[in-house]
């Protein structure tokens, strides 16, 4: 299904019914989503059965959109690494499309699942990817040396934002995975399909 045909009452890949209540909040979120993304995002449909959850979800994303201390490219890599580690195909699909609008190198995004063996990444990018994986692990396995390198390279404000955005992506990816959301087709609009990362996530 093309994202442009996504409607809040359509049948989507989810463990909960896609027939959400026609509340003012759901209608407003659907209208905003169509204007900004050309589609009603499936996570909005999945959480649309609970008004307070929907509003909290939306306010959280609004707040996160104002975080500007961390380089957008590093942020995209961290978000993608957390999505892949959790196994959220929806987040990988959407994250790839969103990162393309930040002019992120599509080859780097494609190589996130194999970042340890890929030659595309700088040492700083490798540390960001390592942090995202370590923070996403259960239990988290972030070590002092990694933190010290990242603070030295980024500064404490940007490092704090890095840690926070990985935590936010864990929230997104774990909700979407538990709800059973699959890829919505956003990466199909991009110049280079994200086949590698989506295949990696699909195997988890």
């Amino acid at each position: 299904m093309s994202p442009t045909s996504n409607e809040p009452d359509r049948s989507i890949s989810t463990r909960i019914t896609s027939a959400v209540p026609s509340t003012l909040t759901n209608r407003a979120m659907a209208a905003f989503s169509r204007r900004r993304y050309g589609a009603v995002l499936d996570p909005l449909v999945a959480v649309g059965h609970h008004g307070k959850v929907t509003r909290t979800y939306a306010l959280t994303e609004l707040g996160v959109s104002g975080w500007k201390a961390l380089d957008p490219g590093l942020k995209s890599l961290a978000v993608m690494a957390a999505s892949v580690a959790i196994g959220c195909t929806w987040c990988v699909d959407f994250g790839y499309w969103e990162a393309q609008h930040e002019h992120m190198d599509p080859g780097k995004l494609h190589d996130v699942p194999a970042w340890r063996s890929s030659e595309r990444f700088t040492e700083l990018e490798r540390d960001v990817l390592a942090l995202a994986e370590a923070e996403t692990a259960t239990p988290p396995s972030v070590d002092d040396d990694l933190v010290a390198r990242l603070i030295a390279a980024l500064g404490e404000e940007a490092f704090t934002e890095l840690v926070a955005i990985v935590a936010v992506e864990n929230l997104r990816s774990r909700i979407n995975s538990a709800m059973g959301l699959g890829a919505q087709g956003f990466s199909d609009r991009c110049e280079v399909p994200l086949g590698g990362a989506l295949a990696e996530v699909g195997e988890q």
Side-chain angles (χ1 to χ4, degrees), residues 13 20 25 27 114 129 133 139 141 175 177-178 190:
S13 173
V20 299
T25 296
R27 293 197 302 273
L129 290 162
E133 284 192 359
S141 57
I175 289 175
S177 294
C190 301

Side-chain angles (χ1 to χ4, degrees), residues 65-84:
S65 69
W67 298 355
K68 303 297 182 184
L70 183 63
D71 175 80
L74 296 178
K75 188 178 297 187
S76 293
L77 290 176
V79 166
M80 185 65 71
S83 301
V84 170

Side-chain angles (χ1 to χ4, degrees), residues 121-145:
F121 302 104
T122 66
E123 288 304 311
L124 175 56
E125 289 169 340
R126 290 180 185 281
D127 279 346
V128 167
L129 290 162
L131 183 282
E133 284 192 359
E135 186 180 342
T136 301
T138 304
S141 57
V142 180
D143 66 70
D144 291 342
D145 289 342

Side-chain angles (χ1 to χ4, degrees), residues 1 21 55 71 104 109 116 128 136 142 144 149 183 189 197 202:
M1 173 83 63
R55 288 190 289 275
D71 175 80
M104 181 70 188
L109 292 171
R116 287 178 177 80
V128 167
T136 301
V142 180
D144 291 342
R149 290 198 304 273
R189 306 186 200 176

Side-chain angles (χ1 to χ4, degrees), residues 8 21-36 40 44 54-55 58:
S22 182
T23 63
L24 178 61
T25 296
N26 284 339
R27 293 197 302 273
M29 292 307 302
F32 172 80
S33 184
R34 287 192 196 94
R35 286 196 304 272
R36 182 163 184 176
V40 178
L44 293 177
T54 301
R55 288 190 289 275

